[in-house]
Amino acid sequence: MKMIYKHLKNNNFTLAIDTIETNSEHPLQVPPHIKNQKKIKEWINSRHLIKTLWPELKLSRNSYGAPEIQNGAISISHTDKYVAVIKTKNKAAIDIEKIRSKALKLSKKFMNQQELQKFSNELNATICWSAK
């Protein structure tokens, strides 16, 4: 078993960030609707991380397709070379993003005028994107 890149834990949540491995050898059954190879790698690596941390955890999907668990909440995110999972007692979500021009280009869709002035570069626009 490989070492998890980053693992934080307290009484309220567990957060883990790991690298996405390109090895396609795995015992997991990828859902048939996932066809894109990048999405398959993300799915495999996120589920592998979840199984490593919580081997008995039963993951299901809500009516919107978001992952859910009994007795708590879970959120999964991935970007470029990383996958992140947060499991909490209460509602929470995680979004990791690579700093790039996409957030700045789309900023008018998710920021108001005051935010547009304050978050006017790639780094700050990406932070705002992830926070929202």
Side-chain angles (χ1 to χ4, degrees):
M1 181 185 327
K2 71 185 191 91
M3 187 179 302
I4 296 171
Y5 178 74
K6 190 76 169 174
H7 187 193
L8 305 170
K9 187 177 179 180
N10 69 24
N11 290 334
N12 298 313
F13 73 90
T14 299
L15 168 68
I17 302 171
D18 206 0
T19 55
I20 291 180
E21 301 289 326
T22 57
N23 183 358
S24 62
E25 298 288 324
H26 61 85
L28 302 170
Q29 183 69 36
V30 178
H33 69 276
I34 303 175
K35 306 278 188 225
N36 179 288
Q37 287 301 308
K38 181 179 181 287
K39 297 290 183 194
I40 289 171
K41 286 180 203 172
E42 292 169 348
W43 189 92
I44 291 168
N45 281 270
S46 63
R47 294 332 183 262
H48 180 69
L49 180 57
I50 290 166
K51 289 289 182 195
T52 299
L53 294 170
W54 310 286
E56 304 301 319
L57 186 70
K58 302 290 186 229
L59 192 63
S60 60
R61 296 269 175 195
N62 67 18
S63 61
Y64 299 102
E68 64 181 8
I69 58 172
Q70 295 219 340
N71 302 322
I74 193 164
S75 180
I76 303 167
S77 182
H78 26 72
T79 187
D80 196 30
K81 299 174 187 168
Y82 298 96
V83 60
V85 176
I86 188 167
K87 181 177 168 276
T88 65
K89 293 180 180 180
N90 300 308
K91 289 184 179 183
I94 188 166
D95 184 25
I96 56 172
E97 289 291 333
K98 182 178 179 182
I99 297 168
R100 55 192 171 149
S101 63
K102 180 181 179 182
L104 192 56
K105 288 177 186 174
L106 297 173
S107 61
K108 290 180 181 170
K109 295 184 179 206
F110 64 91
M111 287 192 231
N112 62 36
Q113 285 301 317
Q114 186 178 10
E115 292 168 332
L116 285 168
Q117 291 174 349
K118 189 174 183 178
F119 304 114
S120 59
N121 62 45
E122 284 183 5
L123 172 63
N124 291 335
T126 302
I127 290 169
C128 188
W129 170 288
S130 293
K132 288 186 174 205

